[in-house]
Amino acid sequence: QRRRGPKPRVQQFVNAWKGDRLFASVVHDEALSAWVADVAGWPNGAEVLQDQVWCKPPRSGPIAYHRDTAYMGEGVVTLWLT
């Protein structure tokens, strides 16, 4: 039987580190920064430009494919932690 009612919505939270200690610890983790810099080949290190949390409940529909360079420019690495 299908559920009735409004379709669940995808929610996005930007800069979650400002309101949550766990997210802050991940965003400020020097080991993570060093790993990203190593993978990207950046000898001067890396820093977080922006953190985002996406809450995508079942039945909320797809998120369209996109490239982050359109939003953040070249030389950006996107890292998904799940």
Side-chain angles (χ1 to χ4, degrees):
Q1 182 177 4
R2 293 188 86 157
R3 290 185 181 183
R4 296 188 182 194
K7 190 175 188 178
R9 295 181 55 170
V10 175
Q11 294 181 312
Q12 175 190 22
F13 302 94
V14 178
N15 293 323
W17 70 271
K18 291 182 178 181
D20 186 273
R21 289 185 191 143
L22 177 60
F23 283 106
S25 70
V26 172
V27 167
H28 294 115
D29 188 317
E30 290 183 22
L32 180 61
S33 175
W35 180 77
V36 171
D38 184 51
V39 168
W42 298 334
N44 296 326
E47 61 183 29
V48 172
L49 173 67
Q50 180 182 63
D51 74 272
Q52 299 181 50
V53 176
W54 289 84
C55 298
K56 187 178 178 314
R59 301 184 317 113
S60 61
I63 295 176
Y65 175 80
H66 66 279
R67 294 198 53 173
D68 289 337
T69 54
Y71 306 102
M72 299 178 193
E74 296 293 330
V76 173
V77 171
T78 301
L79 176 65
W80 289 75
L81 302 174
T82 58

